Amino acid sequence: MIERVKGTRDFLPEDMAKRRWVFEKIREVFEAYGFKEILTPVMEYTKLFQLRSGEEVVKQLYAFKDKGGRDVSLRPDMTSSVARLYVNSFQMAPKPIKWYYIANMFRYEEPQSGRYREFWQAGVELIGSDKVEADAEVIALFVESYLSTGLRDFTVNIGDRILLDEFAGMLGVSDDIGLMRIIDKRDKLSQEEFINLLKEFGLGESEIEKVLELVEIKGRPDNVLPLAEELFKSKKAKEEISKLYKLTDLLEWYGVKDWIRIDLGIARGFDYYTSIVFEAISPNELGIGSIGGGGRYDNLIEIFGGKPTPATGFAIGIERLLPILEWKGLIPKPQTGPEVFVIPLKDMEKVAINIAVKLRREKIKTDIELSGRKLGKALDYANRVGAKLVIIVGKRDVERGVVTIRDMESGEQYNVSLNEIVDKVKNLLKR
Amino acid sequence: MIERVKGTRDFLPEDMAKRRWVFEKIREVFEAYGFKEILTPVMEYTKLFQLRSGEEVVKQLYAFKDKGGRDVSLRPDMTSSVARLYVNSFQMAPKPIKWYYIANMFRYEEPQSGRYREFWQAGVELIGSDKVEADAEVIALFVESYLSTGLRDFTVNIGDRILLDEFAGMLGVSDDIGLMRIIDKRDKLSQEEFINLLKEFGLGESEIEKVLELVEIKGRPDNVLPLAEELFKSKKAKEEISKLYKLTDLLEWYGVKDWIRIDLGIARGFDYYTSIVFEAISPNELGIGSIGGGGRYDNLIEIFGGKPTPATGFAIGIERLLPILEWKGLIPKPQTGPEVFVIPLKDMEKVAINIAVKLRREKIKTDIELSGRKLGKALDYANRVGAKLVIIVGKRDVERGVVTIRDMESGEQYNVSLNEIVDKVKNLLKR
């Protein structure tokens, strides 16, 4: 017996049916918003991720040397690959570019509950607009993606890296990234631990007061944006706050404002975000935090050698979202058994195959007894795999021009003439 | 500028649309045949592939050491992973098991035209039946999969490893695998080269005669199976030939016999095949050989430590099939541009967003001007990305309760009242 690779999973038919249900819901919304599907290779040269990423991501890369001695990594997310593709081939294309993907990502860290080495994301990138209208379009789509799965009980919490930068400046902190990292962790810490970390970082009491004031700017935009106006004095900060007001108006017009919260303590892990960032949270008892997130990254394309080009996007973590949808009972129970199971009795194989061919042409999921089992055992199999209907093809019946159709749920049996099988089956399956 | 990893590709929206078209056609047939989707991790421990594979495959594995020093490979095909999954978790499940997958595979060899390091396969595995009925079901599905894409000009060529084994025995050859390898290569060699290789292998003239006789057993089953009966004398071979007759009958009942050929020279590269093997060929001027193949592998599950369990399956090579479909013009031109592009003129953003929201709820692919461009430039963009309709939202129009819809193909313009936009758009898009 050879084990699966550590930290990976197999997806069985029921898993796949559920995953495809979620993917197709999200895909429909992505396409309705005018995003177009792309896919990049699973592997990239490791330096691509080193160029842009926070140290956490690089440490957790699924990196290795290929047979040619090149440093290669399985992608930890799609944004770098998309930016690489844009720089290499799409700088001259009409802007904005709107791309989406549904793909597997990889990381190498000690596997723990809900953290797999191979995991899936559905996401979009909008490249070539620095307008707040582009942020609004992407955030509205982010909300609509969750809504498409039936989820209602969630919020999209919006932060702003420019305001965090300005805040670090106000406090006279030069290591703004260091400060952001601490602020980003606050939800995982007690108030006391949080304050201790800020002290260790070198902040005095009045600065810590300010930090506590900042992380309280958290709630519905109409309630908390006025607080931000009080806290921030600089022109740059004031401009950014106006942008957040405009964003809020736009999201109201998109009809998604109910799900929007401002949370100025949000920084997001990646260092490459430049202004508006956001993440989605859905309250749950499964210990699942963020179910997706994104933000604006106006410098990344330049870092990769392209002409400076603004961009924004998000990724939805399927392994985060799916358990919540299941827990809430939002995913329809998948039908993984065949709709029809055809059992040929003695010498009736040819007729049975004929029936199966006709049903399959109508896209009816049809299975056929292939192992030469007798009726009792074949019925038992049909029952165990969850077939809805069984068609029994017996010689005497066929000589009279009929077969027997059994509804496995109700137990009802019908004698159906050979040329009415397809209609009767559709009727019984309510198609 | 950072390059893509050698031997890999990016798939752009038009590529993805075509690939998804093919995948969905094939998926529909797989499901109609009662196969259920599964997916295994991209990586497996390398020893899994070493245990079962021909040396060619192992040499070409995309193998590496992970950070923990474990020997890991990106899967070269799905059959090993499926057998591993079966052995670990499904030995007690009702048989037969019918699984399908659509997934990426990997190999490490010098990239050449049409041979990528990451490539895609759609395939099935049927586990737990040794009956020729199972071979027929799988081969019928193989034919129907190609038919579903509109392809007609192809054949499925069937060989038999038991007959090749018996043949090696007849010739007194102990290295039957070595002989099979030479026979398998015959289509890439001239008659002279082929004969020379057989001489080097140690065959005398009369044995070479026999080999030439064998590889001529190639054509429609009704024409060539009688020749096989003449060539083979052993009881085991006779039984296997009866099985091929039965297979042919079954495939006739499935309605796919027209595409079936017998070709006793086919061995297929993998060492793990045990009896009936097959591959599909579609004549083309692109230099593409086999577009897919498969066969019975009754020993593999035992090799992986499971209870001996018969199995059969196939894989369709998407990178082989797709160029042929394109070359034949069988893939509908994908619509990758938006169906509707909404352009707000001055101060009309709110109304424009409102219109976009309504259209998107109806799953109409709708884009909206996000960069604040003036009408002329926005129309130019809509034209370049291939939008079908443009909705121009101007202040004066809106005050009169209307917008302008322009059909970008015909150039026609319509004044449409605000609450009739969705209907008019559906009408113009013929939905």
mmCIF file of all heavy atoms in Angstrom, chain B residues 320-361:
data_model
loop_
_atom_site.group_PDB
_atom_site.id
_atom_site.type_symbol
_atom_site.label_atom_id
_atom_site.label_comp_id
_atom_site.label_asym_id
_atom_site.label_seq_id
_atom_site.Cartn_x
_atom_site.Cartn_y
_atom_site.Cartn_z
ATOM 1 N N ARG B 320 -3.582 16.493 -28.269
ATOM 2 C CA ARG B 320 -3.555 15.782 -29.541
ATOM 3 C C ARG B 320 -4.860 15.992 -30.283
ATOM 4 O O ARG B 320 -4.893 16.206 -31.485
ATOM 5 C CB ARG B 320 -3.350 14.278 -29.315
ATOM 6 C CG ARG B 320 -2.171 13.925 -28.440
ATOM 7 C CD ARG B 320 -0.926 14.696 -28.880
ATOM 8 N NE ARG B 320 0.286 13.968 -28.615
ATOM 9 C CZ ARG B 320 0.768 13.011 -29.405
ATOM 10 N NH1 ARG B 320 0.153 12.673 -30.514
ATOM 11 N NH2 ARG B 320 1.885 12.411 -29.103
ATOM 12 N N LEU B 321 -5.968 15.912 -29.543
ATOM 13 C CA LEU B 321 -7.291 15.997 -30.163
ATOM 14 C C LEU B 321 -7.607 17.417 -30.628
ATOM 15 O O LEU B 321 -8.106 17.634 -31.740
ATOM 16 C CB LEU B 321 -8.342 15.524 -29.148
ATOM 17 C CG LEU B 321 -9.814 15.675 -29.547
ATOM 18 C CD1 LEU B 321 -10.116 14.920 -30.837
ATOM 19 C CD2 LEU B 321 -10.726 15.189 -28.416
ATOM 20 N N LEU B 322 -7.314 18.399 -29.767
ATOM 21 C CA LEU B 322 -7.745 19.770 -30.022
ATOM 22 C C LEU B 322 -7.226 20.340 -31.345
ATOM 23 O O LEU B 322 -8.001 20.918 -32.113
ATOM 24 C CB LEU B 322 -7.326 20.654 -28.844
ATOM 25 C CG LEU B 322 -8.166 21.899 -28.651
ATOM 26 C CD1 LEU B 322 -9.425 21.581 -27.862
ATOM 27 C CD2 LEU B 322 -7.371 22.955 -27.917
ATOM 28 N N PRO B 323 -5.924 20.181 -31.655
ATOM 29 C CA PRO B 323 -5.444 20.734 -32.928
ATOM 30 C C PRO B 323 -6.150 20.109 -34.131
ATOM 31 O O PRO B 323 -6.386 20.790 -35.131
ATOM 32 C CB PRO B 323 -3.956 20.374 -32.939
ATOM 33 C CG PRO B 323 -3.605 20.069 -31.532
ATOM 34 C CD PRO B 323 -4.845 19.575 -30.869
ATOM 35 N N ILE B 324 -6.504 18.830 -34.018
ATOM 36 C CA ILE B 324 -7.199 18.181 -35.135
ATOM 37 C C ILE B 324 -8.606 18.753 -35.277
ATOM 38 O O ILE B 324 -9.066 19.059 -36.380
ATOM 39 C CB ILE B 324 -7.221 16.648 -34.934
ATOM 40 C CG1 ILE B 324 -5.791 16.109 -35.087
ATOM 41 C CG2 ILE B 324 -8.164 15.976 -35.925
ATOM 42 C CD1 ILE B 324 -5.659 14.613 -34.899
ATOM 43 N N LEU B 325 -9.286 18.947 -34.151
ATOM 44 C CA LEU B 325 -10.629 19.535 -34.201
ATOM 45 C C LEU B 325 -10.570 20.942 -34.798
ATOM 46 O O LEU B 325 -11.411 21.327 -35.605
ATOM 47 C CB LEU B 325 -11.252 19.584 -32.803
ATOM 48 C CG LEU B 325 -11.518 18.237 -32.121
ATOM 49 C CD1 LEU B 325 -12.097 18.453 -30.720
ATOM 50 C CD2 LEU B 325 -12.466 17.374 -32.950
ATOM 51 N N GLU B 326 -9.551 21.708 -34.400
ATOM 52 C CA GLU B 326 -9.413 23.068 -34.928
ATOM 53 C C GLU B 326 -9.125 23.038 -36.418
ATOM 54 O O GLU B 326 -9.694 23.806 -37.191
ATOM 55 C CB GLU B 326 -8.269 23.792 -34.220
ATOM 56 C CG GLU B 326 -8.611 24.195 -32.822
ATOM 57 C CD GLU B 326 -7.851 25.445 -32.402
ATOM 58 O OE1 GLU B 326 -8.221 26.551 -32.859
ATOM 59 O OE2 GLU B 326 -6.884 25.294 -31.649
ATOM 60 N N TRP B 327 -8.238 22.139 -36.810
ATOM 61 C CA TRP B 327 -7.823 22.005 -38.203
ATOM 62 C C TRP B 327 -9.034 21.640 -39.071
ATOM 63 O O TRP B 327 -9.162 22.079 -40.204
ATOM 64 C CB TRP B 327 -6.740 20.927 -38.252
ATOM 65 C CG TRP B 327 -6.228 20.541 -39.594
ATOM 66 C CD1 TRP B 327 -5.496 21.313 -40.451
ATOM 67 C CD2 TRP B 327 -6.390 19.265 -40.223
ATOM 68 N NE1 TRP B 327 -5.181 20.591 -41.574
ATOM 69 C CE2 TRP B 327 -5.715 19.333 -41.459
ATOM 70 C CE3 TRP B 327 -7.020 18.072 -39.856
ATOM 71 C CZ2 TRP B 327 -5.669 18.254 -42.342
ATOM 72 C CZ3 TRP B 327 -6.963 17.000 -40.727
ATOM 73 C CH2 TRP B 327 -6.297 17.097 -41.952
ATOM 74 N N LYS B 328 -9.957 20.866 -38.500
ATOM 75 C CA LYS B 328 -11.156 20.470 -39.236
ATOM 76 C C LYS B 328 -12.284 21.489 -39.084
ATOM 77 O O LYS B 328 -13.383 21.280 -39.609
ATOM 78 C CB LYS B 328 -11.652 19.107 -38.729
ATOM 79 C CG LYS B 328 -10.783 17.931 -39.158
ATOM 80 C CD LYS B 328 -11.379 16.616 -38.658
ATOM 81 C CE LYS B 328 -10.563 15.419 -39.108
ATOM 82 N NZ LYS B 328 -10.741 15.094 -40.537
ATOM 83 N N GLY B 329 -12.040 22.549 -38.323
ATOM 84 C CA GLY B 329 -13.071 23.577 -38.140
ATOM 85 C C GLY B 329 -14.261 23.092 -37.329
ATOM 86 O O GLY B 329 -15.386 23.550 -37.521
ATOM 87 N N LEU B 330 -14.032 22.172 -36.395
ATOM 88 C CA LEU B 330 -15.150 21.598 -35.642
ATOM 89 C C LEU B 330 -15.459 22.362 -34.352
ATOM 90 O O LEU B 330 -16.477 22.121 -33.719
ATOM 91 C CB LEU B 330 -14.850 20.131 -35.313
ATOM 92 C CG LEU B 330 -14.904 19.197 -36.532
ATOM 93 C CD1 LEU B 330 -14.352 17.821 -36.186
ATOM 94 C CD2 LEU B 330 -16.338 19.069 -37.045
ATOM 95 N N ILE B 331 -14.557 23.269 -33.947
ATOM 96 C CA ILE B 331 -14.796 23.991 -32.693
ATOM 97 C C ILE B 331 -15.439 25.338 -32.996
ATOM 98 O O ILE B 331 -14.893 26.123 -33.762
ATOM 99 C CB ILE B 331 -13.471 24.197 -31.929
ATOM 100 C CG1 ILE B 331 -12.843 22.834 -31.658
ATOM 101 C CG2 ILE B 331 -13.702 24.954 -30.628
ATOM 102 C CD1 ILE B 331 -11.582 22.891 -30.860
ATOM 103 N N PRO B 332 -16.611 25.598 -32.420
ATOM 104 C CA PRO B 332 -17.277 26.881 -32.686
ATOM 105 C C PRO B 332 -16.395 28.040 -32.231
ATOM 106 O O PRO B 332 -15.718 27.941 -31.205
ATOM 107 C CB PRO B 332 -18.550 26.818 -31.842
ATOM 108 C CG PRO B 332 -18.525 25.553 -31.078
ATOM 109 C CD PRO B 332 -17.340 24.750 -31.474
ATOM 110 N N LYS B 333 -16.392 29.110 -32.996
ATOM 111 C CA LYS B 333 -15.583 30.265 -32.621
ATOM 112 C C LYS B 333 -16.074 30.797 -31.279
ATOM 113 O O LYS B 333 -17.233 31.142 -31.127
ATOM 114 C CB LYS B 333 -15.690 31.356 -33.684
ATOM 115 C CG LYS B 333 -14.708 32.485 -33.410
ATOM 116 C CD LYS B 333 -14.553 33.485 -34.519
ATOM 117 C CE LYS B 333 -13.842 34.743 -33.999
ATOM 118 N NZ LYS B 333 -12.844 34.503 -32.942
ATOM 119 N N PRO B 334 -15.181 30.869 -30.282
ATOM 120 C CA PRO B 334 -15.647 31.329 -28.970
ATOM 121 C C PRO B 334 -15.946 32.823 -28.955
ATOM 122 O O PRO B 334 -15.252 33.611 -29.591
ATOM 123 C CB PRO B 334 -14.473 31.003 -28.042
ATOM 124 C CG PRO B 334 -13.295 30.769 -28.911
ATOM 125 C CD PRO B 334 -13.765 30.479 -30.292
ATOM 126 N N GLN B 335 -17.010 33.176 -28.233
ATOM 127 C CA GLN B 335 -17.347 34.579 -27.986
ATOM 128 C C GLN B 335 -16.653 34.963 -26.686
ATOM 129 O O GLN B 335 -17.119 34.626 -25.602
ATOM 130 C CB GLN B 335 -18.871 34.720 -27.860
ATOM 131 C CG GLN B 335 -19.378 35.983 -27.154
ATOM 132 C CD GLN B 335 -19.204 37.235 -27.996
ATOM 133 O OE1 GLN B 335 -18.939 37.154 -29.188
ATOM 134 N NE2 GLN B 335 -19.333 38.392 -27.380
ATOM 135 N N THR B 336 -15.502 35.622 -26.783
ATOM 136 C CA THR B 336 -14.816 35.961 -25.536
ATOM 137 C C THR B 336 -15.057 37.408 -25.121
ATOM 138 O O THR B 336 -14.779 37.778 -23.995
ATOM 139 C CB THR B 336 -13.297 35.705 -25.624
ATOM 140 O OG1 THR B 336 -12.796 36.420 -26.743
ATOM 141 C CG2 THR B 336 -12.988 34.230 -25.775
ATOM 142 N N GLY B 337 -15.572 38.227 -26.025
ATOM 143 C CA GLY B 337 -15.893 39.601 -25.642
ATOM 144 C C GLY B 337 -17.178 39.637 -24.828
ATOM 145 O O GLY B 337 -17.909 38.658 -24.768
ATOM 146 N N PRO B 338 -17.476 40.777 -24.179
ATOM 147 C CA PRO B 338 -18.727 40.879 -23.427
ATOM 148 C C PRO B 338 -19.920 40.931 -24.385
ATOM 149 O O PRO B 338 -19.784 41.350 -25.529
ATOM 150 C CB PRO B 338 -18.581 42.199 -22.676
ATOM 151 C CG PRO B 338 -17.615 43.000 -23.477
ATOM 152 C CD PRO B 338 -16.686 42.017 -24.127
ATOM 153 N N GLU B 339 -21.075 40.498 -23.907
ATOM 154 C CA GLU B 339 -22.274 40.629 -24.728
ATOM 155 C C GLU B 339 -22.742 42.080 -24.746
ATOM 156 O O GLU B 339 -23.216 42.571 -25.760
ATOM 157 C CB GLU B 339 -23.363 39.692 -24.191
ATOM 158 C CG GLU B 339 -22.964 38.228 -24.357
ATOM 159 C CD GLU B 339 -23.957 37.262 -23.741
ATOM 160 O OE1 GLU B 339 -24.115 37.278 -22.500
ATOM 161 O OE2 GLU B 339 -24.564 36.488 -24.493
ATOM 162 N N VAL B 340 -22.586 42.733 -23.609
ATOM 163 C CA VAL B 340 -23.025 44.132 -23.497
ATOM 164 C C VAL B 340 -21.922 44.952 -22.847
ATOM 165 O O VAL B 340 -21.291 44.501 -21.893
ATOM 166 C CB VAL B 340 -24.301 44.236 -22.632
ATOM 167 C CG1 VAL B 340 -24.744 45.694 -22.513
ATOM 168 C CG2 VAL B 340 -25.418 43.378 -23.208
ATOM 169 N N PHE B 341 -21.683 46.146 -23.385
ATOM 170 C CA PHE B 341 -20.748 47.075 -22.755
ATOM 171 C C PHE B 341 -21.517 48.355 -22.437
ATOM 172 O O PHE B 341 -22.093 48.973 -23.330
ATOM 173 C CB PHE B 341 -19.568 47.353 -23.690
ATOM 174 C CG PHE B 341 -18.471 48.143 -23.042
ATOM 175 C CD1 PHE B 341 -17.688 47.589 -22.041
ATOM 176 C CD2 PHE B 341 -18.221 49.461 -23.429
ATOM 177 C CE1 PHE B 341 -16.677 48.321 -21.433
ATOM 178 C CE2 PHE B 341 -17.208 50.198 -22.824
ATOM 179 C CZ PHE B 341 -16.434 49.630 -21.824
ATOM 180 N N VAL B 342 -21.537 48.732 -21.162
ATOM 181 C CA VAL B 342 -22.315 49.896 -20.727
ATOM 182 C C VAL B 342 -21.380 51.089 -20.551
ATOM 183 O O VAL B 342 -20.379 50.995 -19.838
ATOM 184 C CB VAL B 342 -23.047 49.603 -19.395
ATOM 185 C CG1 VAL B 342 -23.944 50.781 -19.020
ATOM 186 C CG2 VAL B 342 -23.850 48.314 -19.491
ATOM 187 N N ILE B 343 -21.712 52.213 -21.220
ATOM 188 C CA ILE B 343 -20.866 53.412 -21.133
ATOM 189 C C ILE B 343 -21.647 54.545 -20.469
ATOM 190 O O ILE B 343 -22.605 55.066 -21.038
ATOM 191 C CB ILE B 343 -20.415 53.873 -22.535
ATOM 192 C CG1 ILE B 343 -19.724 52.720 -23.273
ATOM 193 C CG2 ILE B 343 -19.500 55.091 -22.425
ATOM 194 C CD1 ILE B 343 -19.368 53.051 -24.717
ATOM 195 N N PRO B 344 -21.258 54.926 -19.253
ATOM 196 C CA PRO B 344 -21.904 56.085 -18.623
ATOM 197 C C PRO B 344 -21.279 57.377 -19.138
ATOM 198 O O PRO B 344 -20.057 57.507 -19.143
ATOM 199 C CB PRO B 344 -21.590 55.895 -17.135
ATOM 200 C CG PRO B 344 -20.367 55.028 -17.092
ATOM 201 C CD PRO B 344 -20.234 54.309 -18.399
ATOM 202 N N LEU B 345 -22.106 58.312 -19.589
ATOM 203 C CA LEU B 345 -21.573 59.647 -19.880
ATOM 204 C C LEU B 345 -21.560 60.427 -18.561
ATOM 205 O O LEU B 345 -21.838 59.874 -17.500
ATOM 206 C CB LEU B 345 -22.419 60.320 -20.967
ATOM 207 C CG LEU B 345 -22.480 59.519 -22.284
ATOM 208 C CD1 LEU B 345 -23.224 60.298 -23.358
ATOM 209 C CD2 LEU B 345 -21.082 59.157 -22.776
ATOM 210 N N LYS B 346 -21.260 61.717 -18.646
ATOM 211 C CA LYS B 346 -21.043 62.537 -17.443
ATOM 212 C C LYS B 346 -22.155 62.342 -16.392
ATOM 213 O O LYS B 346 -23.336 62.414 -16.717
ATOM 214 C CB LYS B 346 -20.975 64.012 -17.878
ATOM 215 C CG LYS B 346 -20.303 64.929 -16.861
ATOM 216 C CD LYS B 346 -19.928 66.263 -17.514
ATOM 217 C CE LYS B 346 -19.270 67.211 -16.521
ATOM 218 N NZ LYS B 346 -20.039 67.446 -15.295
ATOM 219 N N ASP B 347 -21.758 62.084 -15.152
ATOM 220 C CA ASP B 347 -22.665 61.970 -13.999
ATOM 221 C C ASP B 347 -23.654 60.810 -14.091
ATOM 222 O O ASP B 347 -24.625 60.771 -13.325
ATOM 223 C CB ASP B 347 -23.476 63.274 -13.806
ATOM 224 C CG ASP B 347 -22.571 64.451 -13.496
ATOM 225 O OD1 ASP B 347 -21.489 64.209 -12.916
ATOM 226 O OD2 ASP B 347 -22.929 65.585 -13.847
ATOM 227 N N MET B 348 -23.470 59.913 -15.008
ATOM 228 C CA MET B 348 -24.448 58.839 -15.199
ATOM 229 C C MET B 348 -23.973 57.493 -14.663
ATOM 230 O O MET B 348 -24.548 56.453 -14.957
ATOM 231 C CB MET B 348 -24.805 58.720 -16.691
ATOM 232 C CG MET B 348 -25.696 59.833 -17.195
ATOM 233 S SD MET B 348 -27.333 59.809 -16.373
ATOM 234 C CE MET B 348 -27.167 61.160 -15.219
ATOM 235 N N GLU B 349 -22.912 57.503 -13.847
ATOM 236 C CA GLU B 349 -22.351 56.259 -13.333
ATOM 237 C C GLU B 349 -23.384 55.416 -12.585
ATOM 238 O O GLU B 349 -23.475 54.206 -12.771
ATOM 239 C CB GLU B 349 -21.208 56.580 -12.379
ATOM 240 C CG GLU B 349 -19.934 55.930 -12.805
ATOM 241 C CD GLU B 349 -18.761 56.405 -11.975
ATOM 242 O OE1 GLU B 349 -18.960 57.039 -10.921
ATOM 243 O OE2 GLU B 349 -17.636 56.136 -12.404
ATOM 244 N N LYS B 350 -24.151 56.079 -11.736
ATOM 245 C CA LYS B 350 -25.096 55.345 -10.906
ATOM 246 C C LYS B 350 -26.117 54.605 -11.769
ATOM 247 O O LYS B 350 -26.392 53.414 -11.551
ATOM 248 C CB LYS B 350 -25.803 56.326 -9.967
ATOM 249 C CG LYS B 350 -26.772 55.670 -9.018
ATOM 250 C CD LYS B 350 -27.306 56.676 -8.007
ATOM 251 C CE LYS B 350 -28.363 56.032 -7.127
ATOM 252 N NZ LYS B 350 -28.857 56.988 -6.115
ATOM 253 N N VAL B 351 -26.665 55.302 -12.770
ATOM 254 C CA VAL B 351 -27.656 54.673 -13.651
ATOM 255 C C VAL B 351 -27.012 53.521 -14.415
ATOM 256 O O VAL B 351 -27.596 52.445 -14.572
ATOM 257 C CB VAL B 351 -28.245 55.714 -14.631
ATOM 258 C CG1 VAL B 351 -29.320 55.075 -15.499
ATOM 259 C CG2 VAL B 351 -28.793 56.909 -13.873
ATOM 260 N N ALA B 352 -25.775 53.744 -14.879
ATOM 261 C CA ALA B 352 -25.084 52.719 -15.668
ATOM 262 C C ALA B 352 -24.847 51.458 -14.831
ATOM 263 O O ALA B 352 -25.060 50.334 -15.298
ATOM 264 C CB ALA B 352 -23.757 53.268 -16.188
ATOM 265 N N ILE B 353 -24.417 51.650 -13.594
ATOM 266 C CA ILE B 353 -24.181 50.495 -12.716
ATOM 267 C C ILE B 353 -25.481 49.732 -12.505
ATOM 268 O O ILE B 353 -25.531 48.505 -12.569
ATOM 269 C CB ILE B 353 -23.577 50.965 -11.367
ATOM 270 C CG1 ILE B 353 -22.123 51.401 -11.583
ATOM 271 C CG2 ILE B 353 -23.660 49.860 -10.315
ATOM 272 C CD1 ILE B 353 -21.465 52.014 -10.361
ATOM 273 N N ASN B 354 -26.545 50.498 -12.290
ATOM 274 C CA ASN B 354 -27.861 49.901 -12.126
ATOM 275 C C ASN B 354 -28.264 49.014 -13.297
ATOM 276 O O ASN B 354 -28.789 47.911 -13.119
ATOM 277 C CB ASN B 354 -28.864 51.043 -12.018
ATOM 278 C CG ASN B 354 -29.768 50.825 -10.862
ATOM 279 O OD1 ASN B 354 -30.572 49.911 -10.920
ATOM 280 N ND2 ASN B 354 -29.588 51.610 -9.804
ATOM 281 N N ILE B 355 -27.999 49.496 -14.492
ATOM 282 C CA ILE B 355 -28.319 48.717 -15.704
ATOM 283 C C ILE B 355 -27.457 47.458 -15.749
ATOM 284 O O ILE B 355 -27.940 46.354 -16.008
ATOM 285 C CB ILE B 355 -28.098 49.588 -16.965
ATOM 286 C CG1 ILE B 355 -29.140 50.719 -17.003
ATOM 287 C CG2 ILE B 355 -28.166 48.740 -18.233
ATOM 288 C CD1 ILE B 355 -28.844 51.804 -18.032
ATOM 289 N N ALA B 356 -26.165 47.621 -15.456
ATOM 290 C CA ALA B 356 -25.258 46.464 -15.481
ATOM 291 C C ALA B 356 -25.704 45.407 -14.475
ATOM 292 O O ALA B 356 -25.718 44.205 -14.776
ATOM 293 C CB ALA B 356 -23.825 46.912 -15.191
ATOM 294 N N VAL B 357 -26.091 45.849 -13.289
ATOM 295 C CA VAL B 357 -26.533 44.907 -12.250
ATOM 296 C C VAL B 357 -27.711 44.080 -12.760
ATOM 297 O O VAL B 357 -27.744 42.855 -12.610
ATOM 298 C CB VAL B 357 -26.908 45.657 -10.952
ATOM 299 C CG1 VAL B 357 -27.691 44.754 -10.004
ATOM 300 C CG2 VAL B 357 -25.652 46.190 -10.267
ATOM 301 N N LYS B 358 -28.675 44.759 -13.398
ATOM 302 C CA LYS B 358 -29.866 44.043 -13.888
ATOM 303 C C LYS B 358 -29.502 43.025 -14.961
ATOM 304 O O LYS B 358 -30.003 41.903 -14.969
ATOM 305 C CB LYS B 358 -30.880 45.043 -14.466
ATOM 306 C CG LYS B 358 -31.715 45.706 -13.391
ATOM 307 C CD LYS B 358 -32.794 46.583 -14.022
ATOM 308 C CE LYS B 358 -33.358 47.545 -12.986
ATOM 309 N NZ LYS B 358 -33.673 48.859 -13.596
ATOM 310 N N LEU B 359 -28.636 43.412 -15.889
ATOM 311 C CA LEU B 359 -28.247 42.497 -16.967
ATOM 312 C C LEU B 359 -27.471 41.304 -16.406
ATOM 313 O O LEU B 359 -27.678 40.161 -16.800
ATOM 314 C CB LEU B 359 -27.401 43.236 -18.006
ATOM 315 C CG LEU B 359 -28.147 44.325 -18.797
ATOM 316 C CD1 LEU B 359 -27.156 45.158 -19.607
ATOM 317 C CD2 LEU B 359 -29.191 43.700 -19.723
ATOM 318 N N ARG B 360 -26.568 41.582 -15.475
ATOM 319 C CA ARG B 360 -25.746 40.512 -14.905
ATOM 320 C C ARG B 360 -26.598 39.515 -14.139
ATOM 321 O O ARG B 360 -26.294 38.324 -14.117
ATOM 322 C CB ARG B 360 -24.673 41.122 -13.996
ATOM 323 C CG ARG B 360 -23.563 41.795 -14.795
ATOM 324 C CD ARG B 360 -22.690 42.698 -13.937
ATOM 325 N NE ARG B 360 -21.522 43.144 -14.682
ATOM 326 C CZ ARG B 360 -20.644 44.044 -14.233
ATOM 327 N NH1 ARG B 360 -20.817 44.606 -13.044
ATOM 328 N NH2 ARG B 360 -19.608 44.386 -14.967
ATOM 329 N N ARG B 361 -27.655 39.993 -13.490
ATOM 330 C CA ARG B 361 -28.542 39.053 -12.785
ATOM 331 C C ARG B 361 -29.176 38.066 -13.736
ATOM 332 O O ARG B 361 -29.536 36.962 -13.355
ATOM 333 C CB ARG B 361 -29.635 39.829 -12.049
ATOM 334 C CG ARG B 361 -29.163 40.123 -10.674
ATOM 335 C CD ARG B 361 -30.213 40.521 -9.686
ATOM 336 N NE ARG B 361 -29.481 41.209 -8.628
ATOM 337 C CZ ARG B 361 -29.751 42.423 -8.196
ATOM 338 N NH1 ARG B 361 -30.788 43.082 -8.661
ATOM 339 N NH2 ARG B 361 -28.995 42.963 -7.272
#
